[in-house]
Amino acid sequence: MEMSCRMRRMAVVLIVLAFVAGAALADYVQLDNYVYAGGDDWDFHYTYYREAGSSLQVGGTWELTGVSGVYYCSGPVYWDNGTVSENGTRVVWAYIGGDSPPNSNYTTFDLTANLPQGHAAPVPYSIDLDGDGTPDSTSDVIGPTPEPGTLGLVLVGVGGIAVRLRRRRR
C-alpha cells in the first residue's frame, strides 16, 4: 500500500517537471511590469525569451494584439522599434539580427497606451520565427512568473504541509 502511494506521488512530480521543462523549449514573451504614467496612460515593458535551438531569423517578428490605445512603442538592440497599427490595437516588432546567441533574452520592448479603464488583462501575442507571415506560436502574455528555484521551493513547501497534515490525521 505504502509503495503504491509513493509511486503515484513520484508520477505526479515527474508529470509536473515534464510540463515545466516542455513549456520552456519555445520562444515566448512575458510582461515584466507596467507602470501608471499619469492621466489615462500606462507604460508596459515586455521581454522576448529566445530559447536554445530557436530558429529565429532576420525578418522574424513578434506581434502583440488585443491591446488598445497604443500610441508609442520601442524595441531593444537586435530588433526594430516596432510598428503600431493605425487604430492602436496591434504592435509588431521585427528581428533585425545581431550577434546575440540563442538562449538569451531581449529586454525591453516598451509600449505606452491610453487606457482610461486601467491596465489591460493578459493579451494575445504571436511569434513568426522566419518572417513568412505565418505565426509559429501564439499565446497570451501573462505577468512575471517565478523562477524555477522559487517554484521548487513552493512545491517543497506545499509537499511538507501535506505530509504534516497526513501525519496529524493518524
Side-chain angles (χ1 to χ4, degrees), residues 18-79:
F19 176 74
V20 170
L25 296 177
D27 293 11
Y28 63 97
V29 177
Q30 180 173 308
L31 174 65
D32 289 327
N33 66 10
Y34 54 90
V35 178
Y36 178 65
D40 291 333
D41 293 346
W42 290 82
D43 292 329
F44 295 86
H45 310 286
Y46 299 91
T47 299
Y48 179 105
Y49 290 90
R50 184 175 179 197
E51 297 298 327
S54 171
S55 58
L56 180 64
Q57 299 172 16
V58 172
T61 61
W62 84 270
E63 175 180 331
L64 192 62
T65 57
V67 293
S68 62
V70 176
Y71 63 87
Y72 169 80
C73 64
S74 66
V77 67
Y78 308 123
W79 292 80

Side-chain angles (χ1 to χ4, degrees), residues 91-156:
V91 183
V92 179
W93 286 273
Y95 181 62
I96 56 177
D99 295 333
S100 184
N103 223 13
S104 60
N105 63 50
Y106 304 95
T107 191
T108 69
F109 292 87
D110 300 315
L111 66 86
T112 301
N114 185 272
L115 300 167
Q117 71 280 7
H119 67 79
V123 295
Y125 74 89
S126 62
I127 296 175
D128 175 10
L129 294 169
D130 53 13
D132 66 357
T134 303
D136 295 302
S137 65
T138 59
S139 188
D140 286 334
V141 175
I142 56 173
T145 56
E147 58 188 61
T150 303
L151 187 59
L153 286 173
V154 168
L155 291 174
V156 168

Side-chain angles (χ1 to χ4, degrees), residues 160-170:
I161 291 170
V163 167
R164 186 174 186 126
L165 289 173
R166 183 180 171 112
R167 285 184 182 165
R168 201 177 273 179
R169 281 192 280 173
R170 287 184 186 179

